[in-house]
Amino acid sequence: MSGFFSADNKFFILMSKIFDVMVLGLLWLVFCIPVITIGPASTALYYTMVKVIRRERSYLLKEFFRSFKLNFKQGAIITLIYAVLAGLLYFDVTYMLEMSKEGSKYGSMMIGMFLVLAIFTVFTAVYIFPLLSRFTVTLKNLFKWSFFMSFRHIGWTLLFAVLFVGTALMLYYSFFYMPPLIIFLPGIYTLIVSFPMEHIFKRYMPQDEEPDEESGVDHWYNE
């Protein structure tokens, strides 16, 4: 009986992980409320999911707030860029739809072009915040790397895009029909995506010349 209540019991470990995923999702939702903070919150969500929940390093709240603060400026700027781009795409597609209804071939052609641009936007969006959580680079390089990786690993990118759009739609409808689900969706999406994403990132990480025991540095991201 004592074994059942042991801290090493697989059931309690699983329940602890599920609880942590829920807490992370709640943190993400709260910190996304100002809208401009969606980027820093998403970066912190991914970073904490991998380091704390998957790699079992440090503490959940500590790492979330640390990543949020560290990447706030770049994350907020990226959020603004995507918000402006999304707004422009929405109004342009709406306008072109009206033109196409009037029989304009130009309107139909432009709709196709804007839809392709929207797809490219989603492709880069699924990479950029995980990249920000892991690498210290300029905004220009973040977008450059996101674009490059999205086509270099197009198979995974398509899966990420489907999961991204699907999760966004589920979040929207859950708000009206099943609010408790909102707490779990961000963490579940991030956890699922993190497995192939980390596999991709390892291809671009420098190889360690010294093992952790000798260097004194915890290279948890290379595990």
Side-chain angles (χ1 to χ4, degrees):
M1 191 67 177
S2 59
F4 179 78
F5 292 101
S6 170
D8 296 326
N9 184 285
K10 292 183 179 180
F11 174 77
F12 285 109
I13 293 174
L14 176 61
M15 290 298 102
S16 176
K17 298 287 187 183
I18 292 174
F19 178 76
D20 286 344
V21 169
M22 181 184 69
V23 170
L24 262 183
L26 183 59
L27 281 171
W28 181 82
L29 287 169
V30 171
F31 278 79
C32 282
I33 291 175
V35 179
I36 190 65
T37 57
I38 290 176
S42 299
T43 303
L45 172 63
Y46 184 87
Y47 180 84
T48 311
M49 179 65 71
V50 176
K51 184 174 183 178
V52 179
I53 295 182
R54 286 193 52 196
R55 306 298 191 221
E56 299 182 340
R57 300 296 205 279
S58 192
Y59 301 97
L60 190 144
L61 293 178
K62 175 185 175 181
E63 295 302 330
F64 184 91
F65 289 125
R66 176 179 177 275
S67 178
F68 183 87
K69 180 180 179 180
L70 182 65
N71 300 295
F72 182 85
K73 182 178 179 180
Q74 284 187 308
I77 294 173
I78 293 170
T79 303
L80 276 175
I81 292 172
Y82 277 114
V84 171
L85 185 57
L88 289 173
L89 284 171
Y90 174 78
F91 286 112
D92 286 339
V93 169
T94 301
Y95 178 70
M96 292 304 166
L97 279 172
E98 292 299 322
M99 289 184 62
S100 63
K101 288 179 181 178
E102 297 173 0
S104 172
K105 294 182 179 180
Y106 174 76
S108 300
M109 181 183 69
M110 291 302 293
I111 289 173
M113 186 184 75
F114 287 132
L115 288 177
V116 170
L117 182 57
I119 291 172
F120 286 170
T121 301
V122 173
F123 279 7
T124 59
V126 298
Y127 284 92
I128 199 161
F129 295 120
L131 278 169
L132 178 59
S133 78
R134 184 61 48 79
F135 302 96
T136 303
V137 294
T138 63
L139 280 173
K140 178 182 177 180
N141 281 333
L142 279 172
F143 281 99
K144 180 180 177 181
W145 288 6
S146 298
F147 186 81
F148 168 76
M149 287 186 180
S150 67
F151 287 95
R152 175 66 177 80
H153 308 281
I154 189 63
W156 285 118
T157 301
L158 292 172
L159 175 61
F160 294 156
V162 170
L163 290 171
F164 179 84
V165 174
T167 302
L169 290 173
M170 289 175 68
L171 278 170
Y172 176 78
Y173 286 107
S174 295
F175 180 80
F176 297 101
Y177 303 108
M178 198 179 295
L181 191 59
I182 297 176
I183 300 175
F184 290 95
L185 287 173
I188 293 173
Y189 163 80
T190 305
L191 179 61
I192 293 173
V193 166
S194 72
F195 285 94
M197 188 71 76
E198 287 301 301
H199 178 72
I200 291 171
F201 282 176
K202 283 182 181 180
R203 301 186 184 189
Y204 304 94
M205 297 296 295
Q207 295 296 318
D208 299 322
E209 296 181 357
E210 297 180 340
D212 291 354
E213 293 79 7
E214 296 178 12
S215 65
V217 179
D218 184 7
H219 299 288
W220 57 267
Y221 41 80
N222 279 331
E223 292 183 358

